[in-house]
């Protein structure tokens, strides 16, 4: 059970980044605060500044303000581009200070500025999906990635663990969203006090005012529950065994949608408030339902996680019924060595060649489809939900061993269409972005396991301020979608139709 209020709050947090922003009255106590200059009757022109920027006066409070270049108040604005390129090329803050010859506080100020510019640019382009750009079909991959912030108190050496859920198109590579279960706008102390005052602590989570947020006592209880219930049920390393183990672990949870394994080596952040990951997932999918409402057909390829499935089907239930949306589980054996991957691909290509020899005139794609159809006759029923899984007959080195489960099969599709959807099953779109995140941001790299503490992980370049994780993901999403070109000299945004060419970094700086 989930709180509709909690989901709505999380959705509002994500949609606020998509909203149009414009300069207006800066007086917090004024009735025109936040009202755009487009409401012309509320403002009047009031000359220009010494640098030529237009000045306006608010008719409600009488205060004046100016609008102009985003970097007009920046010291050494010529270094903005350098800081941006360093940020997306895995340069730690201290190295940025050395290379740019800036103090740390100015580097952080520039990173804040760059983040704001990236978010505004992304919102401006992605609003076109609501108005003028309507893709006919999207094949979306969905997965999660853990990120860490370092502890502030050396006496409490516990990791602060966050989860980011992302969705990308497998064809164009465009990343539509990457949302982190962390709300920097709230204060933990205020939330805890408000929860006590309104009686939240005496209610079940779905009935609370702050249902989406982690409270201290709930985090401790989850820590104890995880310690009691965790056990490795299956020791087999095959993909089939891993799929079965995932179902068994899910069945052992008090709530099958609760995917956060809180351990004794974890703690809540001191600044901001950590959101329950399941509510972030629901908000993420309802945000996608809003953003992609004009897309003709959507197919989701999701990591095998019951919480992701529940969130997806809740947000897209009407479209599933209309048969304009389908959802698949995809499970991939990511623990194989390079040699094992090569052997797996070699075996599949040998099987493909034998199939093709039987049908010499058939295109390769049609041969693979025939192999899929053959495997569709021997689906494996796994788990307490009796899901049917197909072994993908033509894996790649990146996804060397793969199984797929059609979660919205209502029995009304013909064999050809189902085979085509099974063929396309992949997590490559979002996994590619997550891999870039690890490689391009020092804040997002994997932690280094140490032998000094059992279970302890020291993250050498991880931030102390969790806000920097979300900012890094936003900056990278802009760079990945609009600046970085692929082998065909196109960006994901160009392939999707949101850009005519690669965007220059200077276009968002000045």
């Amino acid at each position: 059970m989930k709180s509709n209020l909690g989901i709505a709050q999380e959705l509002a947090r994500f949609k606020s980044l998509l909203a149009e922003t414009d300069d207006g009255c800066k007086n917090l106590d004024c009735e025109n605060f936040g009202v755009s200059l487009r409401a012309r009757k509320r403002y009047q022109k009031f000359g220009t500044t010494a640098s030529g920027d237009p000045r306006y006066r608010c008719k409600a409070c009488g205060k004046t303000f100016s609008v102009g270049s985003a970097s007009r108040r920046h010291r050494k604005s010529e270094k903005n581009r350098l800081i941006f390129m360093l940020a997306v090329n895995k340069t730690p803050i201290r190295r940025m200070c050395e290379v740019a010859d800036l103090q740390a506080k100015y580097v952080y100020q520039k990173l804040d500025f760059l983040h704001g510019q990236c978010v505004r640019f992304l919102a401006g382009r992605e609003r076109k999906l609501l108005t003028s750009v309507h893709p006919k079909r999207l094949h979306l991959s969905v997965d999660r990635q853990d990120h860490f912030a370092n502890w502030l108190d050396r006496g409490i050496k516990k990791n602060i663990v966050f989860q980011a859920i992302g969705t990308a198109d497998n064809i164009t590579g465009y990343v539509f969203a990457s949302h982190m279960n962390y709300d920097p706008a709230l204060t933990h102390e205020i939330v805890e006090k408000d929860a006590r005052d309104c009686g939240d602590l005496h209610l079940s989570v779905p009935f609370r005012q702050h249902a989406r947020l982690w409270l201290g006592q709930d985090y401790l209880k989850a820590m104890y529950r995880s310690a009691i219930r965790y056990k490795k049920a299956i020791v087999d390393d095959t993909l089939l065994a891993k799929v079965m183990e995932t179902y068994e672990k899910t069945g052992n949870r008090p709530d099958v949608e609760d995917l956060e394994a809180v351990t004794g080596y974890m703690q809540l952040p001191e600044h901001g408030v950590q959101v329950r990951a399941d509510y972030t997932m629901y908000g993420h999918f309802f945000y996608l339902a809003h953003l992609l409402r004009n897309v003709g057909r959507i197919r989701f390829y999701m990591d095998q996680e019951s919480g992701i499935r529940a969130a997806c089907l809740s947000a897209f239930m009407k479209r599933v019924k209309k048969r304009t949306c389908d959802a698949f589980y995809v499970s991939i054996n990511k623990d194989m060595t390079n040699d094992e991957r090569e052997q797996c691909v070699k075996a599949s290509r040998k099987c493909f060649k034998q199939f093709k020899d039987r049908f010499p005139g058939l295109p390769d794609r049609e041969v693979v489809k025939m192999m899929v159809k053959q495997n569709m006759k021997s689906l494996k029923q796994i788990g307490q939900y009796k899901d049917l899984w197909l072994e993908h007959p033509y894996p790649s080195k990146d996804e060397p061993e793969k199984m797929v489960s059609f979660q919205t099969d209502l029995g009304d599709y013909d064999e050809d269409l189902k085979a085509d959807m099974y063929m396309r099953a992949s997590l490559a779109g979002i996994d590619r972005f997550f891999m870039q995140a690890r490689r391009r941001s020092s804040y997002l790299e994997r932690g280094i396991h140490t032998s000094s503490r059992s279970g302890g992980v020291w993250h050498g370049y991880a931030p102390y301020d969790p806000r920097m994780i979300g900012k890094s993901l936003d900056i990278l999403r802009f760079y990945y979608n609009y600046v970085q070109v692929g082998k065909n000299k196109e960006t994901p945004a160009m392939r999707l139709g949101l850009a005519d060419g690669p965007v220059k970094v200077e276009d968002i700086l000045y």
Side-chain angles (χ1 to χ4, degrees):
M1 184 182 294
K2 291 290 176 287
S3 164
N4 289 336
L5 174 62
I7 294 172
Q9 290 170 340
E10 197 69 349
L11 174 61
R13 181 166 75 94
F14 300 149
K15 288 177 68 175
S16 66
L17 300 177
L18 191 64
E20 290 192 56
T21 57
D22 199 357
D23 291 296
C25 184
K26 305 297 189 295
N27 182 6
L28 293 173
D29 299 323
C30 178
E31 65 183 51
N32 286 344
F33 175 74
V35 177
S36 169
L37 281 172
R38 297 177 184 178
R40 297 183 180 181
K41 293 183 179 180
R42 299 193 178 219
Y43 303 101
Q44 67 179 118
K45 292 184 177 180
F46 202 72
T48 60
T49 65
S51 60
D53 294 328
R55 182 187 286 120
Y56 294 87
R57 181 165 65 183
C58 174
K59 292 183 178 180
C61 67
K63 296 199 172 182
T64 62
F65 57 92
S66 63
V67 297
S69 169
S71 61
R72 66 188 188 277
R73 293 187 177 92
H74 264 233
R75 294 183 60 183
K76 299 185 177 181
S77 60
E78 71 278 2
K79 300 205 175 185
N80 288 344
R81 187 183 189 282
L82 174 61
I83 295 297
F84 180 91
M85 295 309 299
L86 292 173
V88 297
N89 282 281
K90 209 171 185 176
T91 308
I93 293 296
R94 287 187 179 181
R95 303 292 87 76
M96 289 186 190
C97 295
E98 291 178 11
V99 174
D101 192 23
L102 290 172
Q103 295 179 28
K105 66 176 182 179
Y106 295 122
V107 170
Y108 280 114
Q109 287 176 5
K110 290 188 179 297
L111 288 174
D112 287 344
F113 165 75
L114 292 170
H115 171 252
Q117 293 298 97
C118 289
V119 169
R120 279 187 283 273
F121 182 92
L122 287 166
R125 291 298 177 95
E126 289 171 358
R127 281 196 296 270
K128 292 182 179 180
L129 293 167
L130 302 174
T131 56
S132 58
V133 178
H134 303 156
K136 292 183 179 180
R137 183 177 285 106
L138 292 175
H139 301 269
L140 304 178
S141 52
V142 186
D143 203 351
R144 298 176 296 122
Q145 188 177 57
D146 289 343
H147 298 291
F148 301 82
N150 281 326
W151 49 80
L152 293 173
D153 186 349
R154 297 182 66 180
I156 307 176
K157 295 182 178 181
K158 295 184 177 182
N159 299 129
I160 307 170
V161 184
F162 302 98
Q163 292 181 351
I165 180 170
T167 297
D169 181 33
N170 285 339
I171 306 301
T172 64
Y174 193 91
V175 182
F176 289 96
S178 180
H179 292 136
M180 179 179 159
N181 65 326
Y182 173 73
D183 192 338
L186 301 178
T187 303
H188 187 73
E189 291 77 11
I190 294 177
V191 169
E192 290 279 355
K193 181 180 183 302
D194 192 43
R196 289 193 297 271
D197 293 344
C198 71
D200 268 2
L201 300 181
H202 305 293
L203 299 174
S204 298
V205 173
F207 302 99
R208 297 177 180 177
Q209 291 293 316
H210 300 291
R212 72 186 179 104
L213 305 175
W214 274 111
L215 301 179
Q217 70 170 33
D218 296 330
Y219 204 74
L220 288 174
K221 290 178 181 178
M223 191 182 299
Y224 292 133
R225 285 199 302 268
S226 295
I228 293 172
R229 75 171 185 248
Y230 180 76
K231 65 175 183 177
K232 187 170 180 64
I234 299 174
V235 296
D236 193 347
D237 287 332
T238 65
L239 180 58
L240 177 61
K242 293 178 188 296
V243 171
M244 294 172 64
E245 183 182 7
T246 300
Y247 278 112
E248 184 159 343
K249 285 182 178 179
T250 299
N252 289 334
R253 299 173 186 163
D255 180 353
V256 297
E257 297 177 24
D258 179 13
L259 49 82
E260 289 179 278
V262 180
T263 72
Y265 292 99
M266 294 164 60
Q267 63 175 320
L268 292 172
E270 290 191 21
H271 304 297
V273 179
Q274 187 158 348
V275 180
R276 294 175 181 268
D278 47 348
Y279 280 90
T280 298
M281 285 193 303
Y282 272 83
H284 177 82
F285 277 103
F286 275 97
Y287 172 81
L288 292 176
H290 169 72
L291 183 67
L292 306 177
R293 63 193 182 196
N294 293 318
V295 176
R297 300 186 70 88
I298 299 176
R299 288 167 185 158
F300 283 103
Y301 298 104
M302 311 172 296
D303 185 37
Q304 185 197 357
E305 176 53 62
S306 58
I308 293 180
R309 172 175 62 180
C312 175
L313 297 184
S314 295
F316 287 87
M317 177 184 63
K318 292 182 179 179
R319 294 201 58 163
V320 170
K321 290 181 177 179
K322 292 180 181 178
R323 310 311 282 141
T324 61
C325 178
D326 286 292
F328 292 78
Y329 267 161
V330 180
S331 185
I332 299 166
N333 191 349
K334 298 181 179 180
D335 298 327
M336 301 177 74
T337 65
N338 187 63
D339 289 342
E340 290 172 337
R341 289 169 182 263
E342 290 180 349
Q343 290 174 7
C344 183
V345 172
K346 185 178 180 180
S348 70
R349 297 306 182 265
K350 182 178 180 180
C351 183
F352 169 81
K353 186 178 184 305
Q354 292 173 351
F355 231 92
K356 189 171 179 61
D357 289 343
R358 292 165 53 191
F359 307 94
L362 210 60
D364 289 355
R365 179 178 176 78
E366 293 301 315
V367 174
V368 176
K369 182 180 285 190
M370 290 187 67
M371 295 171 68
V372 170
K373 288 180 180 179
Q374 178 174 280
N375 286 5
M376 286 169 59
K377 297 175 183 178
S378 56
L379 298 176
K380 292 180 173 62
Q381 190 178 91
I382 308 175
Q384 61 269 44
Y385 307 114
K386 298 181 179 180
D387 293 335
L388 297 176
W389 286 80
L390 173 137
E391 291 187 16
H392 201 290
Y394 198 77
S396 64
K397 190 174 179 180
D398 291 333
E399 298 178 336
E401 192 178 7
K402 181 162 56 179
M403 294 183 70
V404 187
S405 177
F406 190 3
Q407 294 294 300
T408 54
D409 187 0
L410 303 183
D412 54 343
Y413 290 163
D414 61 39
E415 187 182 48
D416 274 351
L417 179 56
K418 289 172 68 173
D420 183 74
M421 292 191 292
Y422 276 124
M423 281 175 58
R424 294 177 180 274
S426 173
L427 299 178
I430 192 60
D431 283 351
R432 193 178 300 116
F433 173 71
F434 282 158
M435 178 186 67
Q436 288 286 305
R438 297 289 194 203
R439 292 181 176 179
R440 284 193 167 271
S441 174
S442 60
Y443 284 146
L444 308 179
E445 74 170 359
R446 296 184 186 276
I448 303 171
H449 288 264
T450 66
S451 58
S452 58
R453 299 169 63 245
S454 176
V457 180
W458 170 252
H459 304 271
Y461 293 112
Y464 294 98
D465 184 352
R467 291 176 297 179
M468 298 308 297
I469 299 174
K471 291 177 182 179
S472 296
L473 286 169
D474 289 334
I475 291 172
L476 278 171
R477 193 164 78 85
F478 160 73
Y479 179 80
Y480 184 87
N481 283 336
Y482 290 91
V483 180
Q484 189 178 36
V485 296
K487 293 180 179 179
N488 62 352
K489 305 300 181 183
E490 291 185 345
T491 64
M494 293 169 64
R495 301 182 201 113
L496 186 65
L498 291 178
D500 295 327
V503 174
K504 295 181 179 180
V505 176
E506 290 82 0
D507 292 345
I508 70 164
L509 300 182
Y510 308 106

